[in-house]
Amino acid sequence: MTTYSSDPSELKRQIEQEAYAAWEEHSGQRLGRNPDGSFRSQGHNNALDAFRHAYTSGRASQIAPAFGDTASQYFGDRNEIGPAHLNDPYEHRMDLWNNEVGRRIAEDTSDPAELARRAYAAIRDGTAVTGLGDARLRQLFPDDPRLALPEGSRERDLLTGDDVRRINRDVERALDRRQAAAFPEGHPDRAMFDRIRAGAPAGASDEKIAEVMLAARRDGIDNAAAIRDVHVHEGRLIVEGRTPGFQGVAALAAAPPAMAQTVEALDRHRYEEASTDRQRQQALEPQSYSYGR
Amino acid sequence: MTDTRIADVLKQRVQAALQESDSAVVPANTLTEFPWQKLCFQRGEALRLTFHRDGVETVVELDYNEFFVDEGYVEGSLDGACLASGDRVVVRRKYPRDTGPFEFMKAPAAVTP
């Protein structure tokens, strides 16, 4: 059990060290160290940066009851406001987005290991923003007049508390929409979905994974164990079955159907499969005849 | 020596080093009017500079509107790092042609652990 410092800057350092350790565990990537063995500060506008923000913000929310508002404030909005935090406006937006991803995970769990697992999953499944080129950042407080200022001006990089509130409002709306498009946790095809997700490119949406899973199911691949490989070829996401020739394919560039529509199709497919199985079973059962005298 | 005096001298010497340019590399010990052996940078509510001289620490807190060191994970940041008296340091205008803040950054191979 970690004993956290009551000094905010030391607390921040402690939680960031946890974040780096968790990143190493989940990604398998070895991070740079200081001479004393601690992790060097690293990760800027990339996946590690996104993970650090999601984890630290989530962890601060988890421990906030013991620290009052200090922890969550220190890791949240305050890290973007004022002259100490002069950053590109899209960098501010990326950080605020990933902070909210972490806070949402922390609403479901108080376990740091689970927070780390889900924050890493958010990197893999595209929930987190891992670069300034992400189009979702352009939808956050898009009428901010500073975005029209030339790059390299102080006014463009400086955020106020009110700016942060407006950006956070748009982040919450965007993440709400994304949650509605997420594949349901308790769905009977969840294991198969996770198997495809593990082999799909980072950033592929849940809706795209569900689309290719439906195609695979329709081609006879009916569970996770029946999948031999998941890969991308010429812009298409391909699920190969263990039975040669069985596969599901979806073009990555094409817009996927809405999640609700795909889940309904999956459920219908499963119902039809079950009906067919029942009919086949009945056909195989020995017929009983009664003979009258 | 007061924080204000140290900050004023720092500002004057950075301005003198930059003159009309946006960036310069200077020996770190030329930025103060007193000798020191080690100088450490720490971001917090203010930018904290700790001068180590003959076993005595002098801590100066600087306003981010005047001086800037970026977050530790940004390439070249001096946050959490220390310079030896003979090291060189990059001083630059955070925003080209602007009046401030002045930013301190690592010069290549200038930082001691």
Side-chain angles (χ1 to χ4, degrees):
Chain A
M1 188 75 175
T2 308
T3 304
Y4 290 112
S5 171
S6 58
D7 171 43
S9 63
E10 175 56 19
L11 175 64
K12 180 170 185 272
R13 197 196 68 80
Q14 285 179 300
I15 297 182
E16 283 181 353
Q17 290 290 309
E18 283 180 22
Y20 289 130
W23 174 265
E24 277 199 342
E25 181 189 341
H26 288 277
S27 72
Q29 180 191 353
R30 171 99 175 147
L31 297 178
R33 303 293 211 276
N34 293 314
D36 67 0
S38 62
F39 292 102
R40 187 164 54 74
S41 288
Q42 55 206 296
H44 188 208
N45 299 337
N46 58 14
L48 174 56
D49 186 349
F51 179 81
R52 187 186 59 242
H53 271 274
Y55 182 88
T56 53
S57 178
R59 189 69 188 127
S61 298
Q62 287 179 330
I63 64 172
F67 284 84
D69 289 336
T70 310
S72 48
Q73 279 182 3
Y74 205 84
F75 290 97
D77 299 347
R78 237 175 64 183
N79 254 353
E80 306 300 328
I81 297 168
H85 306 284
L86 297 169
N87 282 323
D88 181 273
Y90 292 112
E91 186 171 335
H92 284 301
R93 284 159 171 76
M94 176 174 157
D95 294 347
L96 290 166
W97 179 287
N98 293 322
N99 289 347
E100 178 63 15
V101 169
R103 280 194 294 268
R104 286 182 179 222
I105 298 170
E107 283 173 10
D108 292 342
T109 179
S110 59
D111 176 15
E114 178 65 5
L115 168 65
R117 189 192 68 76
R118 289 181 55 184
Y120 189 72
I123 305 294
R124 289 280 307 154
D125 69 18
T127 303
V129 170
T130 58
L132 299 187
D134 192 312
R136 290 173 293 181
L137 300 180
R138 272 72 189 164
Q139 298 160 7
L140 308 175
F141 189 15
D143 51 345
D144 180 353
R146 271 160 307 202
L147 295 174
L149 294 172
E151 284 186 32
S153 69
R154 187 171 183 275
E155 292 70 27
R156 189 172 188 266
D157 292 358
L158 187 61
L159 279 194
T160 65
D162 190 48
D163 300 327
V164 166
R165 274 188 291 280
R166 295 174 81 160
I167 294 168
N168 277 342
R169 181 199 59 195
D170 288 351
V171 169
E172 286 170 21
R173 286 176 181 165
L175 282 170
D176 285 348
R177 282 197 300 273
R178 188 175 174 86
Q179 270 177 345
F183 191 71
E185 276 296 327
H187 193 274
D189 289 323
R190 184 73 214 191
M192 185 171 176
F193 178 90
D194 290 342
R195 168 67 185 87
I196 297 172
R197 161 67 67 204
S205 69
D206 274 17
E207 286 170 322
K208 182 56 68 180
I209 303 289
E211 179 193 2
V212 77
M213 180 165 71
L214 176 61
R217 299 269 339 232
R218 284 174 169 162
D219 206 44
I221 305 171
D222 55 8
N223 60 54
I227 295 173
R228 186 176 64 81
D229 187 37
V230 178
H231 62 273
V232 174
H233 182 66
E234 294 180 346
R236 296 180 312 158
L237 180 58
I238 299 171
V239 177
E240 297 272 4
R242 293 196 182 279
T243 307
F246 282 28
Q247 64 174 205
V249 179
L252 283 168
M259 181 58 83
Q261 191 182 329
T262 306
V263 168
E264 188 187 340
L266 281 164
D267 292 346
R268 195 168 51 244
H269 179 76
R270 190 178 327 93
Y271 174 79
E272 286 164 1
E273 265 186 339
S275 300
T276 307
D277 284 351
R278 269 197 305 275
Q279 286 167 7
R280 208 175 286 141
Q281 197 66 36
Q282 282 168 358
L284 290 173
E285 280 171 5
Q287 301 290 316
S288 59
Y289 300 98
S290 57
Y291 299 95
R293 283 181 184 254
Chain B
M1 193 171 306
T2 64
D3 282 17
T4 310
R5 173 70 188 164
I6 294 172
D8 285 347
V9 170
L10 205 54
K11 192 170 182 178
Q12 287 163 15
R13 296 198 176 185
V14 168
Q15 282 172 328
L18 289 173
Q19 295 185 8
E20 298 303 310
S21 62
D22 290 325
S23 176
V25 182
V26 298
N29 59 10
T30 63
L31 295 176
T32 59
E33 58 184 353
F34 57 89
W36 45 269
Q37 288 82 48
K38 189 165 84 166
L39 166 58
C40 300
F41 297 80
Q42 193 73 51
R43 282 175 55 91
E45 293 295 311
L47 176 60
R48 176 181 285 211
L49 271 55
T50 305
F51 296 92
H52 298 255
R53 36 182 188 163
D54 302 325
V56 178
E57 289 185 8
T58 303
V59 178
V60 182
E61 296 206 328
L62 302 175
D63 185 340
Y64 285 107
N65 286 306
E66 303 277 330
F67 297 98
F68 190 80
V69 165
D70 219 327
E71 296 273 6
Y73 49 79
V74 176
E75 190 70 28
S77 169
L78 279 165
D79 183 28
C82 300
L83 298 172
S85 180
D87 286 341
R88 294 165 74 81
V89 63
V90 175
V91 291
R92 64 169 211 150
R93 297 181 204 281
K94 172 78 177 155
Y95 298 99
R97 297 175 297 284
D98 201 348
T99 51
F102 297 115
E103 183 173 12
F104 299 109
M105 294 177 73
K106 289 176 181 175
V111 175
T112 54

